[in-house]
Amino acid sequence: MADGQYVLEARSVMKIFGNHVALDKVDFGLRAGEVHALLGENGAGKSTLIKILTGAYQPDGGSIHVDDAAVSLDNPLHAQTFGIGTVYQEVNLLPNRSVAENLFLGHQPLRFGFVNFRKMEADARTLLANYDLHIDPASELGMHSVAVQQIVAIARAVQLSGKVLILDEPTASLDRNEVERLFEVVRGLKARGLAIIFITHFLDQVFAISDRVTVLRNGRLIDTRPLDALSRTDVVRLMLGKDIAFSGATDVEPSETPDEVLLEFKGFGRKRSVAPFDLTIHKGEVVGVAGLLGSGRTEVARIMFGADPADQGTVSINGKPTAIRRTTDAIKHGFGFCPEDRKAEGILGDLSVRENIVIALQGKLGWFKALNRDEQLEIAGKFGEAMDIRAASLDMPVKLLSGGNQQKVILSRWLATDPAFLILDEPTRGIDVGAHAEIVRTINRLRDEGMAMLVISSELDEVVAYSSRIVVMRDREMVAELRGKNINPGVIVQAIANHSDEAVA
Amino acid sequence: MKRSLRPLAATAVIFLIAYALSVAQFPGMLSTRVLGNFLTDNAFLGIAAVGMTFVIISGGIDLSVGAVIGFTGVLVAVLISWLGFHPLAAFAIALGVAALFGAAMGLTIHYLQVPSFIVTLAGMFLARGGASVITQDSVPINHEFYRTVSELIIRLPGGGRLSSIGLLMVAVFLLGALLAHRTRFGSYVYALGGNPVSALLMGVPVARTTVQIYMLSSVLAALAGIVFSLYTSAGYPLAAVGVELDAISAVVIGGTLLTGGYGFVLGTFVGVMLLGLVQTYIIFDGTLSSWWTKIVIGVLLFLFIVLQRIIFAASAPGEESPEKS
C-alpha cells in the first residue's frame, strides 16, 4: 500500500538462512511520530527484520522503502545516510573516549585539518541540552552510568540519521528510574516527529510508551495493531499463539513441619557488601529474594557461593559447620550458581553447547576423570531435551543461541552436577515469554523433586509464583522473611518500603 | 586529574626524582652534554617507539620493529655502498619498502583476523631473515652525505651537542602527538583500542585505519633504521635485535595501556628518556654491569603495569557492583 504514510517500510521481505526461512514475506510499516513496538519470541525473526532494516543483512526477497522510494541498504552506515539510526542493547560507544568524541566521531569539526575540540565540545553541550543531560562533554564516557551512555548513544544516532530511530532492547540493563528517564527522551523525540522502533522483552514498557505493535512469530507477520485496543493477554496470545498459564499466587502449601534443614546461615555477611543475616534453607524449598536495585540481592548470592567470601558468620550444611571460602568449596558441597550477567559471568561463548553443559560437572570430577565425548554428548543431550534447548546442534557455539536458550544451557550445566542447592540470580531477565515459562516450570519441578533453591528476581509476580518463602532485601540488609499468606506482591512491596519491625520475622 | 593522565604523571615524577638522585651522586650528569647525548643515543629507539605507541593504543602489538630497523640499515648500506645510490634515494626506497611491508601486515591482521602478535612475529622473522640473506657482514657506509649530516649539530652552551638525529626524534614525537591527539585518524586509533565492534558500528573505517597504523609503525621503524645507520655509519643484519621490546617498555612506562585505548605519544618520550637515564647512570657509575639496565627496566615495567591495573580497576565505573539493576 504505497499511500505515502510510511517513513520506513518493508514490503514482503524474505530472508533465508540455508534451508531455514527466517522471514517469510513480512510487511512492516513505520509512521513518523510513532513508537512502534516489535515483539516476538526467540526465533520469531525480530532481529533478522531489524538487521535488514539497518542494512546489516540483505533481504532475499521483497523490498525496503524509505519515504516510498525503494532503497537498498548496504550496511548500517549506508542506512544512516537514509536517516536510519540504531541504538543497541549493549551500548556500542567508546568508553575510553570523551562524551563529545563519542557524539561526533567521524564527523568532528575540523580547523586546518585538525580536530577543533572547543567547537566539538560546545556542539556536544548544546546537543545534550536537548536531552536535558548536563554533563561535561570532555569527560570520559565510561565514567557515566549506563543510562547516560544510552542517552548519548541515542543523541548520536538521532544527530547522524534523524528520521528513524531503532531501539534494540535499550532498557535491558537499566533500573526503573533510568528507564523512565530514557522514556522521557523517547517521548521528546516522538514529539519531534521521529519514527521509532522499540524492541523489548518487557510488556510493561511496551504499554508504557508504544503506539502500535507488530508481532512476529516463526518468521511470519502475525499482526500490526494500535496498542490502545489491546490488553496484555492479547499481546501475549499474539506472540505465543496460545495462552500461557501464570498462576497468580503460590501453589505451595506452607507446611508447618518442613523437610529437613539443608543449610543454616548464622550472622553471615561481608563488610561493605551485605549486613550479617540468618537464614535457614530446607530441602525442597524455594526461597525467593526480593528487593530493589542495589539492595544487596546479588551480593547475598555471591557470598553464599563464595564468589565474594563472607568475612563473618557461620554456615552449616546438613548440621555440620562448614566454611565456604571460594567457589570450589561451594561446588564441592553441591551448590550451583546461575549468575545475573549471563554473557559476562555465565556462558563460555565460544565453546559449544555440549561443553558449556558439562563444564561444571567436569570441574567437580577433577582433572583426572575426564568425561569422554560420548558421555558428554549423552549428558548434554539429556538436558538439552529436558530443558527444550533449541539449538541446531549441540556442537554449535553457545554464543549463537538466544538469551533464553543460553539461560537454559547454564541451568543445565548446574543440573548436570546434581546440586543440592541451586542459586538463580534473575533467571528470567531479558528472555522471551516462552523460555520464561519454561524456566518457571523447571523451578517448580526441581522444588518438587526436593532441591533447595534461592531465586533472585525483580519480577514480583514471578517470585510469588514459585517461592515457598520470600526474604526481602533493603539497603544491603535482610529486612523481612515472608511465608504463607504473606507471599503476595502487596506484602512484598510493603516490606520493601516499610521498616523491618512491621514485617514478619 | 583524568585517570588516564595518572600513569604519565607518575612516569614524569619518577623521571625527575631519578634524575635528581643521579645528579646528586654524579653532578656531571646535569649538563647539556649529557642531555644532548640523551637525545642522540636514543633517537632510533624513540622514533620506533612513536610508531609502537600508535599500535599499542589501537590494541595491537608490533614485534617486527627491531627487525625492520636492521633490514633498513642493511638495505640502505647496500644501496649506497655497493650499488652507488645517493643516500636520499636509498632512504626513499627503504621507506617505501617499509610502507609496503607494514601495509601487508595490516591487511593480514584485518582481513584474515589473525592476532597482530602472530602477524608481526612472522614479519620480524621475514625482515631479519631478509637482511641476513642480503649480507651476513656489517656493510660500512662511506659517503659525503653521511659526514655532512653527522656534522650538522647545534652547539649548546656548556659543551652540549644537539645532533640532527636527536632533533629528528623530537620532531617525530611532536608530529606523532599532533597526529594522535588532534586528528580524526588519531581518534580512530583510540576507537579501535577502546572497542573495535563499536568502532565499526560508529563508522570508523576499520580496515583503512588498521593498515595505516601498521604502515606508520613500519615506516617509523625504517626511519629509525636510517637514523641508526647515520648513528653507526654502517648496516648490519643483526643490528637492533630486541629493540621492539625496548620500544614496548618505553610505551608502557610512558603511560599507555598495554590493552589499548589509553595512552599518550609524549608519555612515550618520557619513557624513552627514563630508559636513557638508566643507561647513562650505569655508564657514569662505571662499575655496574650494563645488564643492570635490563633489570631496572624490568622492575619499572612491572611497577607500571601494576600501577595501571590499580588505577583502572579502582575507578572502573561502568562495572560498579555486581548488582546492576
Side-chain angles (χ1 to χ4, degrees), chain A residues 76-77 88 91-97 101-102 105-110 113-115 117 138 140 142-143 156 173-175 292-299 302 308 340-341 426 429 476, chain B residues 2-4 57 178-184 186-188 190-204 260-263 312 315-325:
Chain A
L77 291 179
Y88 303 90
V91 183
N92 272 303
L93 294 176
L94 302 164
N96 60 326
R97 303 306 285 161
E101 193 166 308
N102 271 286
L105 186 75
H107 309 266
Q108 296 106 318
L110 299 181
F114 292 108
V115 174
F117 278 90
E140 219 175 279
M143 305 302 288
R156 176 180 169 92
S173 47
L174 303 186
D175 72 25
L292 294 178
L293 165 77
S295 60
R297 299 171 313 191
T298 297
E299 285 79 351
R302 290 179 65 87
D308 300 319
E340 175 183 23
D341 189 347
E426 295 281 9
R429 145 113 11 121
R476 303 186 173 265
Chain B
K2 272 193 188 168
R3 64 196 177 127
S4 53
I57 290 174
L178 269 181
L179 189 62
H181 306 302
R182 286 284 178 271
T183 64
R184 281 189 188 164
S187 64
Y188 294 159
Y190 283 94
L192 286 188
N195 184 342
V197 177
S198 295
L200 187 67
L201 287 170
M202 290 173 83
V204 171
Y262 295 93
F312 282 89
S315 60
E319 50 222 58
E320 299 126 326
S321 63
E323 177 99 350
K324 237 191 232 168
S325 58

Side-chain angles (χ1 to χ4, degrees), chain B residues 45-105:
Chain B
L45 173 62
I47 291 170
V50 172
M52 187 67 83
T53 310
F54 280 88
V55 173
I56 292 181
I57 290 174
S58 80
I61 199 94
D62 187 353
L63 298 180
S64 70
V65 166
V68 171
I69 293 176
F71 180 82
T72 305
V74 171
L75 182 66
V76 165
V78 166
L79 285 175
I80 297 170
S81 300
W82 294 0
L83 302 175
F85 277 78
H86 187 270
L88 286 175
F91 295 169
I93 292 171
L95 292 174
V97 169
L100 290 177
F101 183 74
M105 291 198 297

Side-chain angles (χ1 to χ4, degrees), chain B residues 66-248:
Chain B
V68 171
I69 293 176
F71 180 82
T72 305
V74 171
L75 182 66
V76 165
V78 166
L79 285 175
I80 297 170
S81 300
W82 294 0
L83 302 175
F85 277 78
H86 187 270
L88 286 175
F91 295 169
I93 292 171
L95 292 174
V97 169
L100 290 177
F101 183 74
M105 291 198 297
L107 288 168
T108 313
I109 290 165
H110 179 76
Y111 286 105
L112 301 185
Q113 295 289 312
V114 185
S116 55
F117 183 89
I118 302 295
V119 175
T120 58
L121 186 66
M124 174 179 110
F125 285 122
L126 274 176
R128 190 65 76 187
S132 303
V133 165
I134 296 176
T135 174
Q136 301 266 6
D137 310 309
S138 177
V139 181
I141 303 173
N142 268 311
H143 195 282
E144 193 54 37
F145 181 80
Y146 267 60
R147 276 187 292 278
T148 320
V149 171
S150 61
E151 281 159 14
L152 267 181
I153 47 169
I154 301 172
R155 292 190 185 279
L156 297 174
R161 298 143 67 93
L162 261 182
S163 65
S164 51
I165 58 174
L167 287 173
L168 179 64
M169 171 183 74
V170 173
V172 168
F173 266 106
L174 292 176
L175 289 175
L178 269 181
L179 189 62
H181 306 302
R182 286 284 178 271
T183 64
R184 281 189 188 164
F185 170 75
S187 64
Y188 294 159
V189 175
Y190 283 94
L192 286 188
N195 184 342
V197 177
S198 295
L200 187 67
L201 287 170
M202 290 173 83
V204 171
V206 175
R208 195 179 79 203
T209 309
T210 307
V211 171
Q212 284 171 337
I213 289 167
Y214 288 91
M215 278 175 80
L216 180 67
S217 177
S218 290
V219 166
L220 285 177
L223 187 61
I226 292 170
V227 164
F228 197 66
S229 83
L230 285 164
Y231 184 58
T232 57
S233 290
Y236 181 50
L238 293 181
V241 169
V243 163
E244 61 277 357
L245 302 181
D246 290 334
I248 293 169

Side-chain angles (χ1 to χ4, degrees), chain A residues 186-337:
Chain A
V186 173
R187 286 189 195 105
L189 292 172
K190 179 178 142 184
R192 276 163 53 185
L194 249 81
I196 297 162
I197 302 177
F198 180 54
I199 299 158
T200 181
H201 284 298
F202 300 103
L203 285 184
D204 290 347
Q205 297 180 0
V206 171
F207 280 88
I209 196 157
S210 308
D211 304 304
R212 291 198 302 155
V213 56
T214 288
V215 179
L216 299 178
R217 192 167 71 229
N218 293 329
R220 288 204 192 81
L221 173 71
I222 299 303
D223 210 350
T224 297
R225 289 203 208 163
L227 205 61
D228 46 18
L230 289 176
S231 74
R232 214 160 289 232
T233 335
D234 297 334
V235 173
V236 174
R237 198 177 292 135
L238 283 174
M239 287 171 67
L240 295 183
K242 61 185 178 203
D243 275 311
I244 50 156
F246 266 132
S247 53
T250 179
D251 52 357
V252 183
E253 290 298 314
S255 51
E256 283 309 308
T257 50
D259 296 321
E260 47 185 313
V261 171
L262 176 70
L263 292 168
E264 200 171 0
F265 296 97
K266 274 218 170 79
F268 214 58
R270 179 179 160 89
K271 261 189 211 107
R272 294 173 41 169
S273 174
V274 184
F277 62 89
D278 299 331
L279 185 65
T280 310
I281 298 172
H282 305 88
K283 287 185 181 160
E285 182 177 53
V286 174
V287 177
V289 180
L292 294 178
L293 165 77
S295 60
R297 299 171 313 191
T298 297
E299 285 79 351
V300 167
R302 290 179 65 87
I303 71 169
M304 281 181 173
F305 195 63
D308 300 319
D311 54 12
Q312 49 195 311
T314 57
V315 53
S316 38
I317 301 174
N318 289 322
K320 269 184 293 187
T322 320
I324 299 174
R325 283 196 207 88
R326 51 188 87 84
T327 52
T328 44
D329 293 344
I331 293 170
K332 217 182 300 164
H333 290 112
F335 286 25
F337 178 34

